[in-house]
Amino acid sequence: MVGSIYWTAVTYGAVTVMQVVGHKEGLDVMERADPLFLLIGLPTIPVMLILGKMIRWEDYVLRLWRKYSTKLQILNSIFPGIGCPVPRIPAEASPLADHVSATRILCGALVFPTIATIVGKLMFSSVNSNLQRTILGGIAFVAIKGAFKVYFKQQQYLRQAHRKILNFPEQEEP
């Protein structure tokens, strides 16, 4: 079982290298590399992608944004309601309460190089290097997705801060 997981990780790492760098260039790089380096380095690619996907950097950005948004008036003009005082502060959800399934993390992490390659080809077609184009595509994808996620979480926060709980009017039964 461990052997099959290891060789699957090695194969995924090799395919990712060829996809990110380019098919021919990837094969050249792997043929010139030390075999021991390949046997250790290639399986770390999916592991690092999964660990990177588990970092919740958007929460840190949102926390900093809420803390310093009153000092950054440009953000207030772009995203209204960020620097405004809220009637009440909603309870912060614990990181364990906002769970993301392991399947979603795994699939999202493993499909990331493909998405980075596609976004790189669409947005940075003028860049000649496949590796640079893919890195730029990955950065652009993560930044755009993160901005949407931060905006969505802030809107949820504001919605909870401004909600009012009303008493249910009792009606007499006939």
Side-chain angles (χ1 to χ4, degrees):
M1 180 75 169
V2 172
S4 66
I5 291 172
Y6 173 78
W7 281 111
T8 302
V10 169
T11 305
Y12 177 82
V15 169
T16 301
V17 167
M18 289 190 301
Q19 181 180 25
V20 167
V21 179
H23 185 75
K24 189 174 183 178
E25 295 86 359
L27 283 176
D28 289 342
V29 166
M30 288 189 285
E31 286 174 357
R32 284 184 277 135
D34 182 33
L36 184 61
F37 177 75
L38 291 176
L39 291 176
I40 294 171
L42 289 178
T44 60
I45 292 173
V47 172
M48 290 300 140
L49 286 170
I50 292 168
L51 291 176
K53 181 74 171 166
M54 294 173 71
I55 296 172
R56 299 168 57 117
W57 63 271
E58 297 98 346
D59 293 339
Y60 299 114
V61 170
L62 189 57
R63 211 172 304 136
L64 285 172
W65 193 348
R66 287 177 185 157
K67 188 174 182 179
Y68 298 110
S69 65
T70 55
K71 298 174 185 169
L72 300 172
Q73 296 301 323
I74 295 172
L75 290 178
N76 293 335
S77 63
I78 297 171
F79 301 107
I82 296 293
C84 302
V86 292
R88 66 180 189 87
I89 298 176
E92 287 289 327
S94 69
L96 298 176
D98 186 23
H99 72 288
V100 178
S101 71
T103 307
R104 189 169 173 185
I105 289 174
L106 182 71
C107 292
L110 296 181
V111 79
F112 177 69
T114 304
I115 293 172
T117 303
I118 292 169
V119 171
K121 286 180 181 177
L122 291 174
M123 294 178 69
F124 304 102
S125 59
S126 62
V127 177
N128 292 332
S129 169
N130 287 332
L131 179 61
Q132 289 177 348
R133 188 172 43 238
T134 302
I135 290 172
L136 289 172
I139 291 170
F141 173 74
V142 168
I144 292 168
K145 183 180 176 222
F148 280 124
K149 196 170 188 179
V150 166
Y151 180 76
F152 174 72
K153 285 188 176 192
Q154 180 63 20
Q155 292 305 312
Q156 282 184 322
Y157 177 83
L158 290 174
R159 194 173 304 120
Q160 285 190 358
H162 291 288
R163 72 179 176 182
K164 294 178 183 165
I165 301 172
L166 303 174
N167 289 332
F168 184 76
E170 294 183 25
Q171 296 178 357
E172 294 179 21
E173 293 183 31

